[in-house]
Amino acid sequence: MSDDDLSPTLRRMVADADQVEREHAERFRAEQAMITPSAKHLDEFTRAAMVLNLLAAGREQYAENAPDGVRENLLREVNAYRVAAKVLAGDGWAAQGTLPSWKYEEFSRTVAGIGLELTLTD
């Protein structure tokens, strides 16, 4: 189907959606540009957490205008990215809240072995 086959209303809706997508892409690039230069001194886990937070923000922007069923799935993804980012930033509570209790000790030893220190703070 070409643009010529669309009704004026559908054509306008497509144009509006394209504009929203361009605006969100530009906002994402601007946010990333602000973060990237100052992050070079941070450790790899913190930088990875920042990337996951950027991905979460992008998925959250998609969710703003998504149909209900799709929005719910996108927001679940946002939550998963944010929890993973917290874990990479060293938040032991985020890891503990995600794992079954019998797996946490093994998980904690494994991540300590790769240099990620998890802390349980208030």
Side-chain angles (χ1 to χ4, degrees):
M1 179 180 272
S2 72
D3 283 350
D4 296 333
D5 297 333
L6 298 175
S7 70
T9 302
L10 283 176
R11 228 177 313 193
R12 205 171 31 257
M13 289 173 66
V14 168
D16 289 348
D18 288 346
Q19 180 61 32
V20 167
E21 182 65 26
R22 281 190 296 277
E23 290 170 5
H24 284 267
E26 185 57 37
R27 187 179 319 136
F28 178 81
R29 283 191 293 277
E31 289 169 357
Q32 187 168 351
M34 288 186 328
I35 292 171
T36 304
S38 63
K40 296 196 186 300
H41 68 283
L42 300 173
D43 68 59
E44 64 272 11
F45 297 115
T46 304
R47 288 194 309 266
M50 292 172 76
V51 170
L52 289 172
N53 278 320
L54 286 170
L55 291 171
R59 297 310 273 174
E60 194 167 44
Q61 288 175 357
Y62 272 128
E64 288 174 6
N65 297 312
D68 287 340
V70 174
R71 181 180 307 114
E72 291 167 9
N73 287 333
L74 289 169
L75 292 176
R76 283 188 197 101
E77 290 178 23
V78 168
N79 184 57
Y81 282 127
R82 288 198 174 133
V83 168
K86 286 179 182 181
V87 172
L88 286 174
D91 184 343
W93 291 116
Q96 199 171 48
T98 302
L99 297 166
S101 59
W102 63 91
K103 295 294 281 180
Y104 184 75
E105 191 175 319
E106 175 188 347
F107 175 80
S108 192
R109 278 194 312 272
T110 301
V111 298
I114 61 169
L116 177 59
E117 183 181 333
L118 297 175
T119 57
L120 300 171
T121 57
D122 293 332

